[in-house]
Amino acid sequence: MGTFPRMGAMTIWTVAPEPFDSPVATALWRAYYTEVSDRWYLVHEGRRTDPDELEREIAARTGSELAPPTGQLLVGRYGGEPAGSAGVRLLEGGSAELTRVFLYVGMRGRGGAALLVRAAEDAARALGARWMILDTRGDLVEARALYARLGYEETERHNDEQYAEHWFRKPLS
């Protein structure tokens, strides 16, 4: 069972832009990357990510593409505490890419993921995008279910990302 707010008290989600290099954004990126990397290695090689590789990859992907004027990182807070993130970056041709959708494990199942994705869609519209695209892996079944529930349709490959196995698209009009 989860923890529920007391009668008369209400815990709410807020979503707001966050600098990609803030301590909050950095902690969320580290948690996200660690989880998805470990998950891949556990499925395919029966082990967690090598710590040196993990540090190298986290440092190599700063998230600078998620900064205005062509991107945005959003942080969701639950009861005022950082709980998750979603990023969007503008691409050529009227598309934006949804990336770094993540919630800390203890925050899942409380509606935050859908809220973050919808906020990222709003940010993409504000950047002038007409479409949102994304990629994900086959083992991230929760993510694929979320995107389908939010109206994303699986499409043909749109990039050459090494670990991408599923590609999605949604009109933002």
Side-chain angles (χ1 to χ4, degrees):
M1 293 296 199
T3 302
F4 298 96
R6 289 183 316 228
M7 188 60 93
M10 188 170 169
T11 303
I12 59 168
W13 283 99
T14 58
V15 176
E18 180 84 19
F20 72 89
D21 56 354
S22 76
V24 166
T26 300
L28 284 160
W29 170 234
R30 174 172 288 284
Y32 168 90
Y33 196 86
T34 300
E35 181 176 333
V36 297
S37 183
D38 279 353
R39 198 166 179 174
W40 190 89
Y41 277 109
L42 286 167
V43 166
H44 296 282
E45 297 185 14
R47 65 173 177 88
R48 294 196 180 283
T49 311
D50 174 82
D52 291 336
E53 177 187 353
L54 188 65
E55 292 306 315
R56 199 171 45 250
E57 291 300 316
I58 288 170
R61 299 177 187 217
T62 65
S64 62
E65 71 279 6
L66 305 178
T70 58
Q72 187 72 68
L73 179 69
L74 302 164
V75 167
R77 287 177 168 78
Y78 187 76
E81 293 298 315
S85 65
V88 61
R89 69 183 183 109
L90 197 57
L91 304 172
E92 292 186 22
S95 292
E97 180 183 31
L98 179 65
T99 186
R100 294 194 186 193
V101 177
F102 173 75
L103 286 173
Y104 287 124
V105 173
M107 295 290 108
R108 295 175 188 168
R110 300 177 188 201
L115 188 67
L116 280 161
V117 170
R118 288 185 183 111
E121 291 170 356
D122 290 342
R125 279 186 205 91
L127 292 170
R130 297 184 314 272
W131 293 93
M132 185 78 89
I133 63 170
L134 65 98
D135 64 65
T136 191
R137 298 192 324 237
D139 62 309
L140 301 176
V141 293
E142 306 90 341
R144 291 191 355 253
L146 170 70
Y147 301 134
R149 191 170 64 248
L150 295 177
Y152 287 80
E153 293 185 2
E154 195 155 354
T155 65
E156 69 285 344
R157 172 187 292 268
H158 63 254
N159 63 28
D160 293 322
E161 289 294 322
Q162 179 179 359
Y163 298 106
E165 298 171 319
H166 298 270
W167 295 264
F168 291 86
R169 177 177 165 142
K170 180 181 178 178
L172 295 174
S173 55

